[in-house]
Amino acid sequence: MALIDKVFKRILELDGNPRNRGDYGGKAYIRHCMEDHNGQVPLWVLANHLSFGQTVWFFQVQSPAVRLAVAESFTGLYADTHDGPRRITIKRLDSIFNRLVFYRNLCAHDERCYCARYDGRANENVYQAIGDLGYLLDKDDYLELFGRFSALVARATSAMPSRRQAILSAMGVRERELADRAEIILRS
């Protein structure tokens, strides 16, 4: 069975959604590519139907060469938009993607994420997930995201000053860290 057939079986037909029954998940645009283009489905076409978790799974089942090419493209993006280079490895991408899927799912299902710990590890917290996005976004987008995150934390902690330290600790943030990280991002 070809990889693309395994992907469709895993992603489109086994996700429990009745709309995805039939050849190629019942999606005419995917069927068109499979039948009229020798099974060649462009990633941008496939990505229209994938959830974030499915996209991560798709990355994780690729060959080492493809995974390395993706990691190198993130390394290039980082170098192009920051003042200094940062090597982004396959292992780091796996960690980042798994953590982001975990927090994305918490948010999507209205779960409390500020104090959640990925895999129950103390250092796997929402603040780490925010930091992870710094590897994947260009510098300007990350600065905007981090600024909004910092403002949200400031509003929450100022609304509950007696709980400030508990909130920061639950998120994995040390007292001065938000301001320090903002300065580091600006200099990078």
Side-chain angles (χ1 to χ4, degrees), residues 138-157:
D138 69 37
K139 183 178 178 178
D140 291 338
D141 289 343
Y142 185 66
L143 276 170
E144 182 176 343
L145 170 82
F146 193 78
R148 289 179 180 200
F149 173 77
S150 297
L152 180 64
V153 170
R155 280 196 311 276
T157 56

PDB file of all heavy atoms in Angstrom, residues 138-157:
ATOM      1  N   ASP A 138       7.878  34.015  12.064  1.00  0.00           N
ATOM      2  CA  ASP A 138       8.921  35.015  11.827  1.00  0.00           C
ATOM      3  C   ASP A 138       8.941  35.980  13.016  1.00  0.00           C
ATOM      4  O   ASP A 138       8.023  36.016  13.841  1.00  0.00           O
ATOM      5  CB  ASP A 138       8.753  35.717  10.484  1.00  0.00           C
ATOM      6  CG  ASP A 138       7.560  36.641  10.392  1.00  0.00           C
ATOM      7  OD1 ASP A 138       7.226  37.319  11.377  1.00  0.00           O
ATOM      8  OD2 ASP A 138       6.951  36.704   9.317  1.00  0.00           O
ATOM      9  N   LYS A 139      10.003  36.730  13.129  1.00  0.00           N
ATOM     10  CA  LYS A 139      10.234  37.549  14.310  1.00  0.00           C
ATOM     11  C   LYS A 139       9.099  38.538  14.570  1.00  0.00           C
ATOM     12  O   LYS A 139       8.638  38.680  15.712  1.00  0.00           O
ATOM     13  CB  LYS A 139      11.564  38.301  14.163  1.00  0.00           C
ATOM     14  CG  LYS A 139      11.935  39.122  15.370  1.00  0.00           C
ATOM     15  CD  LYS A 139      13.280  39.779  15.165  1.00  0.00           C
ATOM     16  CE  LYS A 139      13.679  40.646  16.318  1.00  0.00           C
ATOM     17  NZ  LYS A 139      15.022  41.226  16.109  1.00  0.00           N
ATOM     18  N   ASP A 140       8.619  39.226  13.544  1.00  0.00           N
ATOM     19  CA  ASP A 140       7.560  40.221  13.745  1.00  0.00           C
ATOM     20  C   ASP A 140       6.271  39.580  14.244  1.00  0.00           C
ATOM     21  O   ASP A 140       5.616  40.104  15.152  1.00  0.00           O
ATOM     22  CB  ASP A 140       7.295  41.002  12.450  1.00  0.00           C
ATOM     23  CG  ASP A 140       8.448  41.913  12.077  1.00  0.00           C
ATOM     24  OD1 ASP A 140       9.259  42.273  12.969  1.00  0.00           O
ATOM     25  OD2 ASP A 140       8.553  42.267  10.888  1.00  0.00           O
ATOM     26  N   ASP A 141       5.886  38.458  13.652  1.00  0.00           N
ATOM     27  CA  ASP A 141       4.675  37.768  14.101  1.00  0.00           C
ATOM     28  C   ASP A 141       4.824  37.276  15.536  1.00  0.00           C
ATOM     29  O   ASP A 141       3.896  37.364  16.339  1.00  0.00           O
ATOM     30  CB  ASP A 141       4.332  36.597  13.176  1.00  0.00           C
ATOM     31  CG  ASP A 141       3.828  37.042  11.818  1.00  0.00           C
ATOM     32  OD1 ASP A 141       3.426  38.214  11.672  1.00  0.00           O
ATOM     33  OD2 ASP A 141       3.839  36.208  10.890  1.00  0.00           O
ATOM     34  N   TYR A 142       6.009  36.762  15.852  1.00  0.00           N
ATOM     35  CA  TYR A 142       6.224  36.272  17.215  1.00  0.00           C
ATOM     36  C   TYR A 142       6.222  37.421  18.217  1.00  0.00           C
ATOM     37  O   TYR A 142       5.671  37.284  19.316  1.00  0.00           O
ATOM     38  CB  TYR A 142       7.513  35.458  17.326  1.00  0.00           C
ATOM     39  CG  TYR A 142       7.663  34.855  18.696  1.00  0.00           C
ATOM     40  CD1 TYR A 142       6.781  33.878  19.140  1.00  0.00           C
ATOM     41  CD2 TYR A 142       8.650  35.284  19.568  1.00  0.00           C
ATOM     42  CE1 TYR A 142       6.885  33.330  20.408  1.00  0.00           C
ATOM     43  CE2 TYR A 142       8.763  34.741  20.838  1.00  0.00           C
ATOM     44  CZ  TYR A 142       7.876  33.776  21.256  1.00  0.00           C
ATOM     45  OH  TYR A 142       7.972  33.244  22.519  1.00  0.00           O
ATOM     46  N   LEU A 143       6.807  38.544  17.850  1.00  0.00           N
ATOM     47  CA  LEU A 143       6.779  39.700  18.748  1.00  0.00           C
ATOM     48  C   LEU A 143       5.343  40.138  19.033  1.00  0.00           C
ATOM     49  O   LEU A 143       4.998  40.464  20.171  1.00  0.00           O
ATOM     50  CB  LEU A 143       7.566  40.867  18.144  1.00  0.00           C
ATOM     51  CG  LEU A 143       9.062  40.843  18.364  1.00  0.00           C
ATOM     52  CD1 LEU A 143       9.746  41.920  17.518  1.00  0.00           C
ATOM     53  CD2 LEU A 143       9.390  41.042  19.832  1.00  0.00           C
ATOM     54  N   GLU A 144       4.516  40.149  18.004  1.00  0.00           N
ATOM     55  CA  GLU A 144       3.116  40.517  18.204  1.00  0.00           C
ATOM     56  C   GLU A 144       2.420  39.498  19.115  1.00  0.00           C
ATOM     57  O   GLU A 144       1.713  39.873  20.048  1.00  0.00           O
ATOM     58  CB  GLU A 144       2.383  40.618  16.873  1.00  0.00           C
ATOM     59  CG  GLU A 144       0.933  41.038  17.044  1.00  0.00           C
ATOM     60  CD  GLU A 144       0.200  41.229  15.733  1.00  0.00           C
ATOM     61  OE1 GLU A 144       0.845  41.348  14.680  1.00  0.00           O
ATOM     62  OE2 GLU A 144      -1.031  41.256  15.784  1.00  0.00           O
ATOM     63  N   LEU A 145       2.608  38.222  18.838  1.00  0.00           N
ATOM     64  CA  LEU A 145       2.014  37.179  19.667  1.00  0.00           C
ATOM     65  C   LEU A 145       2.486  37.298  21.112  1.00  0.00           C
ATOM     66  O   LEU A 145       1.680  37.270  22.038  1.00  0.00           O
ATOM     67  CB  LEU A 145       2.374  35.791  19.127  1.00  0.00           C
ATOM     68  CG  LEU A 145       1.994  34.630  20.055  1.00  0.00           C
ATOM     69  CD1 LEU A 145       0.528  34.276  19.892  1.00  0.00           C
ATOM     70  CD2 LEU A 145       2.869  33.441  19.809  1.00  0.00           C
ATOM     71  N   PHE A 146       3.781  37.440  21.306  1.00  0.00           N
ATOM     72  CA  PHE A 146       4.317  37.489  22.664  1.00  0.00           C
ATOM     73  C   PHE A 146       3.840  38.746  23.394  1.00  0.00           C
ATOM     74  O   PHE A 146       3.554  38.692  24.595  1.00  0.00           O
ATOM     75  CB  PHE A 146       5.849  37.414  22.656  1.00  0.00           C
ATOM     76  CG  PHE A 146       6.405  37.156  24.017  1.00  0.00           C
ATOM     77  CD1 PHE A 146       6.381  35.880  24.556  1.00  0.00           C
ATOM     78  CD2 PHE A 146       6.923  38.190  24.780  1.00  0.00           C
ATOM     79  CE1 PHE A 146       6.858  35.639  25.829  1.00  0.00           C
ATOM     80  CE2 PHE A 146       7.408  37.956  26.051  1.00  0.00           C
ATOM     81  CZ  PHE A 146       7.381  36.667  26.577  1.00  0.00           C
ATOM     82  N   GLY A 147       3.730  39.855  22.672  1.00  0.00           N
ATOM     83  CA  GLY A 147       3.195  41.074  23.281  1.00  0.00           C
ATOM     84  C   GLY A 147       1.764  40.888  23.756  1.00  0.00           C
ATOM     85  O   GLY A 147       1.394  41.312  24.856  1.00  0.00           O
ATOM     86  N   ARG A 148       0.955  40.239  22.934  1.00  0.00           N
ATOM     87  CA  ARG A 148      -0.438  39.979  23.322  1.00  0.00           C
ATOM     88  C   ARG A 148      -0.514  39.003  24.498  1.00  0.00           C
ATOM     89  O   ARG A 148      -1.323  39.168  25.407  1.00  0.00           O
ATOM     90  CB  ARG A 148      -1.234  39.435  22.142  1.00  0.00           C
ATOM     91  CG  ARG A 148      -1.491  40.476  21.078  1.00  0.00           C
ATOM     92  CD  ARG A 148      -2.262  39.876  19.934  1.00  0.00           C
ATOM     93  NE  ARG A 148      -2.520  40.876  18.915  1.00  0.00           N
ATOM     94  CZ  ARG A 148      -3.472  40.757  18.019  1.00  0.00           C
ATOM     95  NH1 ARG A 148      -4.253  39.693  18.003  1.00  0.00           N
ATOM     96  NH2 ARG A 148      -3.649  41.695  17.112  1.00  0.00           N
ATOM     97  N   PHE A 149       0.326  37.994  24.462  1.00  0.00           N
ATOM     98  CA  PHE A 149       0.380  37.039  25.570  1.00  0.00           C
ATOM     99  C   PHE A 149       0.775  37.751  26.862  1.00  0.00           C
ATOM    100  O   PHE A 149       0.139  37.567  27.902  1.00  0.00           O
ATOM    101  CB  PHE A 149       1.368  35.912  25.236  1.00  0.00           C
ATOM    102  CG  PHE A 149       1.630  34.976  26.372  1.00  0.00           C
ATOM    103  CD1 PHE A 149       0.696  34.010  26.717  1.00  0.00           C
ATOM    104  CD2 PHE A 149       2.804  35.057  27.099  1.00  0.00           C
ATOM    105  CE1 PHE A 149       0.933  33.141  27.773  1.00  0.00           C
ATOM    106  CE2 PHE A 149       3.050  34.192  28.155  1.00  0.00           C
ATOM    107  CZ  PHE A 149       2.113  33.225  28.494  1.00  0.00           C
ATOM    108  N   SER A 150       1.803  38.569  26.806  1.00  0.00           N
ATOM    109  CA  SER A 150       2.269  39.302  27.984  1.00  0.00           C
ATOM    110  C   SER A 150       1.185  40.230  28.523  1.00  0.00           C
ATOM    111  O   SER A 150       0.998  40.338  29.742  1.00  0.00           O
ATOM    112  CB  SER A 150       3.532  40.107  27.660  1.00  0.00           C
ATOM    113  OG  SER A 150       4.579  39.242  27.303  1.00  0.00           O
ATOM    114  N   ALA A 151       0.466  40.899  27.619  1.00  0.00           N
ATOM    115  CA  ALA A 151      -0.617  41.795  28.043  1.00  0.00           C
ATOM    116  C   ALA A 151      -1.738  40.997  28.717  1.00  0.00           C
ATOM    117  O   ALA A 151      -2.307  41.444  29.725  1.00  0.00           O
ATOM    118  CB  ALA A 151      -1.157  42.572  26.845  1.00  0.00           C
ATOM    119  N   LEU A 152      -2.051  39.836  28.195  1.00  0.00           N
ATOM    120  CA  LEU A 152      -3.079  38.984  28.790  1.00  0.00           C
ATOM    121  C   LEU A 152      -2.663  38.540  30.191  1.00  0.00           C
ATOM    122  O   LEU A 152      -3.461  38.588  31.142  1.00  0.00           O
ATOM    123  CB  LEU A 152      -3.323  37.761  27.899  1.00  0.00           C
ATOM    124  CG  LEU A 152      -4.366  36.766  28.365  1.00  0.00           C
ATOM    125  CD1 LEU A 152      -5.757  37.398  28.393  1.00  0.00           C
ATOM    126  CD2 LEU A 152      -4.362  35.554  27.443  1.00  0.00           C
ATOM    127  N   VAL A 153      -1.408  38.139  30.330  1.00  0.00           N
ATOM    128  CA  VAL A 153      -0.905  37.730  31.645  1.00  0.00           C
ATOM    129  C   VAL A 153      -0.947  38.917  32.607  1.00  0.00           C
ATOM    130  O   VAL A 153      -1.359  38.772  33.769  1.00  0.00           O
ATOM    131  CB  VAL A 153       0.522  37.152  31.533  1.00  0.00           C
ATOM    132  CG1 VAL A 153       1.145  36.942  32.904  1.00  0.00           C
ATOM    133  CG2 VAL A 153       0.510  35.851  30.747  1.00  0.00           C
ATOM    134  N   ALA A 154      -0.555  40.091  32.135  1.00  0.00           N
ATOM    135  CA  ALA A 154      -0.576  41.292  32.984  1.00  0.00           C
ATOM    136  C   ALA A 154      -1.993  41.612  33.455  1.00  0.00           C
ATOM    137  O   ALA A 154      -2.203  41.958  34.627  1.00  0.00           O
ATOM    138  CB  ALA A 154       0.029  42.475  32.238  1.00  0.00           C
ATOM    139  N   ARG A 155      -2.967  41.505  32.546  1.00  0.00           N
ATOM    140  CA  ARG A 155      -4.368  41.766  32.930  1.00  0.00           C
ATOM    141  C   ARG A 155      -4.839  40.756  33.975  1.00  0.00           C
ATOM    142  O   ARG A 155      -5.492  41.119  34.948  1.00  0.00           O
ATOM    143  CB  ARG A 155      -5.282  41.729  31.712  1.00  0.00           C
ATOM    144  CG  ARG A 155      -5.260  43.003  30.901  1.00  0.00           C
ATOM    145  CD  ARG A 155      -6.438  43.124  29.926  1.00  0.00           C
ATOM    146  NE  ARG A 155      -6.700  41.966  29.094  1.00  0.00           N
ATOM    147  CZ  ARG A 155      -6.081  41.697  27.939  1.00  0.00           C
ATOM    148  NH1 ARG A 155      -5.161  42.523  27.486  1.00  0.00           N
ATOM    149  NH2 ARG A 155      -6.395  40.627  27.248  1.00  0.00           N
ATOM    150  N   ALA A 156      -4.522  39.494  33.762  1.00  0.00           N
ATOM    151  CA  ALA A 156      -4.963  38.452  34.697  1.00  0.00           C
ATOM    152  C   ALA A 156      -4.328  38.641  36.071  1.00  0.00           C
ATOM    153  O   ALA A 156      -5.009  38.529  37.095  1.00  0.00           O
ATOM    154  CB  ALA A 156      -4.643  37.064  34.146  1.00  0.00           C
ATOM    155  N   THR A 157      -3.039  38.912  36.087  1.00  0.00           N
ATOM    156  CA  THR A 157      -2.363  39.044  37.380  1.00  0.00           C
ATOM    157  C   THR A 157      -2.705  40.355  38.081  1.00  0.00           C
ATOM    158  O   THR A 157      -2.722  40.401  39.309  1.00  0.00           O
ATOM    159  CB  THR A 157      -0.838  38.896  37.229  1.00  0.00           C
ATOM    160  OG1 THR A 157      -0.349  39.851  36.284  1.00  0.00           O
ATOM    161  CG2 THR A 157      -0.469  37.489  36.777  1.00  0.00           C
TER     162      THR A 157
END
